Amino acid sequence: MGAAFNVNATAIVINRTGLLFVGPSGWGKSMLAFTCITEAKRMGLAALLVADDQVFLSKRDGEIVAECPPAISGLIELRGTGIVKCESAPLAPMHYAVLPGSASGENRLPPDNDIAHFAEDFSLPALRLLANATVPLAILMAKAPDIGR
């Protein structure tokens, strides 16, 4: 296992698929992740928070693993609402990075095989999502049908 580094992100797991929401402060990472957890549970899928705001990433057996600092375990901040408790897992492998999409302009359509790079040898396939997505999990599953399997 390599050294862990901290990223400002929100990590969740839908069944066995890890999703790492990464973007600028105020983008809505926590709310989008929480909405995905809620959608998944309504669909009868297992869904857990791993970490919100601070996520430690490390490599284990060739996989990128997200881990939660113990002080914030099971807590997620929903902007304008406050901090709420959420069913959680202490760590989980990550499979996709969820990044902000662009509603207009030259980057409206993200490149095929979009990749998010975090550090040397730390990259994940990227899925783009608008902050105002009303059914974010459905959108992510349309782009990556293996989510939730």
Side-chain angles (χ1 to χ4, degrees):
M1 178 178 84
F5 63 96
N6 192 351
V7 295
N8 179 250
T10 300
I12 67 171
V13 176
I14 306 296
N15 273 354
R16 290 180 291 276
T17 304
L19 301 171
L20 184 67
F21 292 76
V22 183
S25 180
W27 171 53
K29 298 178 289 290
S30 301
M31 190 64 78
L32 287 168
F34 183 77
T35 302
C36 285
I37 290 170
T38 302
E39 283 182 74
K41 288 182 177 184
R42 287 183 182 152
M43 294 170 62
L45 301 173
L48 299 169
L49 172 69
V50 177
D52 180 48
D53 191 42
Q54 296 181 54
V55 180
F56 293 135
L57 294 181
S58 61
K59 281 265 184 123
R60 296 184 187 179
D61 298 323
E63 290 188 302
I64 294 176
V65 174
E67 189 168 358
C68 185
I72 60 171
S73 178
L75 301 175
I76 187 167
E77 180 187 356
L78 303 178
R79 191 174 295 252
T81 301
I83 297 173
V84 298
K85 292 183 179 182
C86 191
E87 191 176 0
S88 65
L91 59 93
M94 293 290 106
H95 301 95
Y96 294 98
V98 181
L99 306 175
S102 175
S104 61
E106 65 184 58
N107 297 321
R108 192 174 84 195
L109 296 175
D112 291 335
N113 303 314
D114 200 3
I115 301 290
H117 299 279
F118 303 103
E120 187 177 329
D121 200 32
F122 277 79
S123 59
L124 291 169
L127 301 172
R128 300 286 174 160
L129 191 62
L130 294 176
N132 62 356
T134 57
V135 287
L137 184 59
I139 294 166
L140 294 173
M141 291 173 91
K143 290 293 290 180
D146 59 321
I147 295 174
R149 288 188 187 163

